[in-house]
Amino acid sequence: MEVLTFKLEDFEGPLDLLLYLVSKNKMNLYDINIMELIDQYTAVISTLQSDRLEVASEFIDMAAHLVQMKSALLLPRAPEAERMKAELTGCLIEYSACKAVAAQLGGRARDQFTAVRAPQPLVGAAEYTRPHKPEQLVQAWYNLMGRSLRKRKPTQERFEPLVAAPFVSVTSRVAHVLKGMLHGTLLRLGQLFGPQESRSTNVATFLALLELVRAGRVQIGTDGRLQIDRTHHRRKKEADDHE
């Protein structure tokens, strides 16, 4: 048997060494002489110096696996040995294909021209010098992260307008609407609402107007004019008499 001398550092792993032995002995990758390959591999590993065992741990592990395979192959009708042989052959075929592809990609990379230029100097000041309030920075951070600010605990000042607002009854606004229409000071719908009135007043006025329209005492024209039905009491009395 030819004595092979080389450095393990020349190979990327035990499969790389096995593939080298297959190529050197001109074996068919799909029909490997497993016994001869195992003998050559174990012979190479047995020549390792003791101070190189740490470097060759992967190679020694593969050697132990191959010795186990050889022992199984020596037994008659050993299905486990055939399985191990097929597994090793498949790994070598796959590794050979990956190595060929890596060589092609490496060749393409070497053929490409790569140019690197020096970094360009920064134009202007590299520091951000504009002053901002802390709460603006916090808001910007939450906006950047896609989150809104957490709801803060309501303060007494926020409830003050609601708590201190005067209570306006719907009945008082009914009287206000009828009184204005009877005296001729309230002619159009727009006169009932205004920004100078409080929210409670506008809401009560709206409910009062709905009640008057529902009862038939007030009519609203298409142009927004308000008309009072002065025959409301008479019609109501006639309806009661019919009953």
Side-chain angles (χ1 to χ4, degrees):
M1 180 184 300
E2 181 184 359
V3 179
L4 301 176
T5 58
F6 51 82
K7 296 181 179 180
L8 288 183
E9 288 80 357
D10 297 335
F11 301 94
E12 297 180 0
L15 287 178
D16 199 23
L17 174 57
L18 285 171
L19 195 63
Y20 169 79
L21 294 175
V22 169
S23 174
K24 186 168 182 63
N25 289 279
K26 298 181 181 179
M27 296 181 184
N28 184 355
L29 193 57
Y30 293 88
D31 187 20
I32 301 173
N33 187 339
I34 292 294
M35 297 297 288
E36 182 179 351
L37 182 64
I38 292 175
D39 289 339
Q40 288 200 8
Y41 185 92
T42 53
V44 169
I45 298 302
S46 63
T47 61
L48 292 176
Q49 299 296 326
S50 59
D51 58 345
R52 300 179 62 194
L53 292 181
E54 293 183 0
V55 179
S57 59
E58 291 182 282
F59 295 88
I60 295 175
D61 183 68
M62 175 61 76
H65 179 72
L66 293 177
V67 170
Q68 181 184 6
M69 184 188 305
K70 183 178 180 180
S71 301
L73 288 171
L74 294 175
L75 297 175
R77 298 180 182 180
E80 181 66 16
E82 294 300 325
R83 184 194 66 79
M84 296 173 69
K85 177 182 176 181
E87 182 179 347
L88 178 62
T89 303
C91 289
L92 288 173
I93 293 173
E94 183 178 0
Y95 182 79
S96 176
C98 293
K99 192 172 182 179
V101 172
Q104 293 179 3
L105 294 177
R108 293 182 182 180
R110 286 191 298 270
D111 294 338
Q112 292 180 353
F113 175 74
T114 303
V116 180
R117 63 173 176 79
Q120 294 295 320
L122 295 176
V123 179
E127 298 182 356
Y128 189 83
T129 57
R130 294 185 180 180
H132 293 283
K133 296 181 179 179
E135 54 268 21
Q136 291 178 330
L137 297 177
V138 172
Q139 181 65 57
W141 165 255
Y142 279 108
N143 291 340
L144 180 64
M145 298 300 294
R147 296 177 294 180
S148 60
L149 281 172
R150 295 181 178 178
K151 293 183 179 179
R152 298 177 181 176
K153 185 177 180 180
T155 60
Q156 183 178 356
E157 290 76 10
R158 296 181 62 183
F159 285 100
E160 192 67 27
L162 299 176
V163 176
F167 176 76
V168 182
S169 66
V170 177
T171 303
S172 65
R173 298 310 291 173
V174 169
H176 170 76
V177 172
L178 291 177
K179 182 178 179 181
M181 294 181 69
L182 289 173
H183 286 80
T185 58
L186 184 57
L187 302 176
R188 304 186 67 84
L189 183 62
Q191 295 178 257
L192 290 173
F193 308 98
Q196 70 278 4
E197 301 289 350
S198 65
R199 182 180 302 178
S200 300
T201 302
N202 285 330
V203 171
T205 302
F206 178 73
L207 295 176
L209 184 61
L210 287 180
E211 181 62 26
L212 291 171
V213 173
R214 185 189 66 81
R217 301 182 64 180
V218 173
Q219 296 178 352
I220 304 176
T222 55
D223 57 351
R225 291 184 65 86
L226 299 175
Q227 295 181 356
I228 189 169
D229 188 357
R230 300 178 183 274
T231 64
H232 171 73
H233 291 290
R234 187 179 64 217
R235 286 186 287 104
K236 184 177 179 182
K237 185 176 183 301
E238 292 176 354
D240 292 341
D241 291 342
H242 265 296
E243 294 178 358

